[in-house]
Amino acid sequence: MAAAMPRGIRILHSCRGLAIRPKPVCSRPQALQQLARPYRFQSNDTRSQTPSAAETNAAGEASFNTEASIANPIDSIDDAALEKMMYGGRSAQQGGLTEAQEEVLYRDGAIPPATDAETVLAVGAAEAAELEAADEAGEDIQNLGHKWPLPQKPYPDGFNVKKRYHPVVEQITRLMMRDGKLAAAQRNLAMTMNFLRMAPEPTFSPKFPLLPGTPPASHLSLNPVLYLTVAIDSVAPLIRVKAIPGAGGGGRALDMPQPLTVRQRRRRAFTWILEAVEKKPSKGSGRTQFAHRLADEIIAVVEGRSSVWEKRKLIHKQGTTARANVEKRIMIKKSAGK
């Protein structure tokens, strides 16, 4: 039977190389001695006595105060010095923009000198005061029963009763919106401004100068809205070239340069930026990839590395070529009037 048994079933033959070695067991007296070694009973040595609870708490408080004083050196700085450190870019001596200059930039798309900006805001405040005085004088004459006074006509440019957000931020958000998803556009713009705030300071290019009066590069990250405004207004075209059909004679169209308003310039510039963003390769996945690409393109515009500058240059070149047609347009109008 053993000869007829298959080779794979021979258990004793396969177990010849096995050896069973029992694990050595530690003796009980040695284990007790090791456990009792850290403890010292009936000892009068003052060095081995454990500290009391009060001493432990006092030592813990002292170490905590020491660590707090070392870890928080900003507590020793007063509010005035801290405000100067954080918002030092607003002072004109360091090359930053004043509040009046920022207000004129957001409204008109240009950075005037500090004195001119103050004058413009003073004139606007005087006009607003005159309107308020006229409203107060007219309340006695006309009482239409409105709870709040009616706005005065003619309405100023960009007038909106429910004005809540910054004008540049609001316009950019509307341009970024797709399929009516305003919350998604606001989230993307918020993440874009966070990326701009955390990005290192850009390096300006002398080949593509920014808006005249732009603050230093170290001040842009402190104000992401100013960062966006400077980038968009610097690359925004000043004119557009409109083709007037049949005005060139012989059925040919006549190219005519036309100036653009502030909102039109910003719309064209940001549309170009979005087109460049769509061509960029995605970085990672998730919600932050579009915001990251948009922030990179804004930084590229400020540094002069974006292709948007070439589009602006081409538009201005076409306008320079077609500026000779302005007189022809006047002649066409006169002939049409006859």
Side-chain angles (χ1 to χ4, degrees):
M1 295 296 291
M5 184 179 295
R7 185 177 182 85
I9 309 180
R10 295 180 180 179
I11 302 176
L12 297 178
H13 184 271
S14 60
C15 295
R16 288 179 180 178
L18 296 178
I20 300 175
R21 297 179 181 178
K23 184 178 180 181
V25 181
C26 182
S27 60
R28 187 174 181 82
Q30 293 180 359
L32 292 177
Q33 185 178 3
Q34 291 178 359
L35 292 175
R37 185 175 298 173
Y39 300 98
R40 302 179 64 180
F41 300 100
Q42 297 179 359
S43 175
N44 295 327
D45 191 2
T46 57
R47 297 180 181 178
S48 63
Q49 293 180 359
T50 58
S52 60
E55 295 176 355
T56 305
N57 295 334
E61 291 178 359
S63 61
F64 177 76
N65 295 333
T66 305
E67 292 177 358
S69 61
I70 296 175
N72 297 326
I74 200 172
D75 295 339
S76 60
I77 304 176
D78 56 348
D79 296 340
L82 184 61
E83 184 177 0
K84 185 177 180 181
M85 292 170 57
M86 297 298 295
Y87 302 100
R90 291 186 178 273
S91 61
Q93 297 178 358
Q94 299 179 0
L97 299 182
T98 61
E99 295 183 1
Q101 286 178 316
E102 290 185 7
E103 187 67 25
V104 175
L105 170 63
Y106 299 145
R107 188 181 63 182
D108 300 336
I111 304 177
T115 55
D116 297 347
E118 295 289 346
T119 305
V120 171
L121 292 184
V123 172
E127 293 178 355
E130 291 179 359
L131 292 177
E132 291 180 359
D135 292 341
E136 293 177 358
E139 285 180 357
D140 300 335
I141 301 175
Q142 295 181 357
N143 187 6
L144 302 179
H146 296 284
K147 184 176 181 180
W148 308 106
L150 296 178
Q152 294 292 328
K153 295 182 180 180
Y155 301 131
D157 296 337
F159 175 75
N160 188 1
V161 179
K162 299 180 180 180
K163 184 177 180 181
R164 180 179 179 184
Y165 298 104
H166 194 276
V168 179
V169 173
E170 185 176 3
Q171 184 179 5
I172 290 175
T173 307
R174 294 298 193 278
L175 293 175
M176 292 173 57
M177 182 175 59
R178 294 292 182 271
D179 301 329
K181 298 178 181 179
L182 182 60
Q186 291 174 347
R187 182 182 65 245
N188 290 332
L189 186 58
M191 288 188 292
T192 301
M193 289 193 290
N194 286 335
F195 284 129
L196 293 178
R197 185 182 292 108
M198 295 183 294
E201 61 181 45
T203 303
F204 295 159
S205 174
K207 185 178 179 181
F208 299 99
L210 299 178
L211 207 63
T214 301
S218 59
H219 295 177
L220 294 180
S221 298
L222 302 177
N223 192 347
V225 179
L226 179 63
Y227 206 144
L228 284 170
T229 307
V230 168
I232 294 174
D233 288 344
S234 298
V235 81
L238 301 177
I239 59 174
R240 68 165 183 166
V241 179
K242 182 180 180 181
I244 303 177
R252 294 183 296 106
L254 185 66
D255 294 336
M256 188 67 60
Q258 294 181 352
L260 299 176
T261 61
V262 177
R263 289 183 61 87
Q264 290 175 345
R265 295 201 302 263
R266 289 172 176 171
R267 183 182 184 277
R268 292 216 170 196
F270 195 71
T271 304
W272 291 344
I273 292 175
L274 289 180
E275 291 176 357
V277 169
E278 294 296 334
K279 298 178 182 178
K280 281 181 173 290
S282 61
K283 295 184 177 181
S285 61
R287 295 182 174 182
T288 60
Q289 61 172 345
F290 177 78
H292 200 175
R293 286 184 294 169
L294 181 57
D296 289 345
E297 187 64 25
I298 293 295
I299 296 174
V301 168
V302 174
E303 293 182 349
R305 298 182 287 103
S306 178
S307 60
V308 181
W309 287 101
E310 300 298 332
K311 295 183 179 181
R312 180 180 185 269
K313 184 178 179 180
L314 181 61
I315 290 293
H316 286 179
K317 187 176 181 180
Q318 292 178 357
T320 305
T321 306
R323 65 182 177 181
N325 299 332
V326 177
E327 297 294 335
K328 295 182 181 180
R329 185 180 182 184
I330 297 175
M331 294 174 60
I332 291 172
K333 281 190 174 182
K334 289 183 178 180
S335 61
K338 293 179 180 179

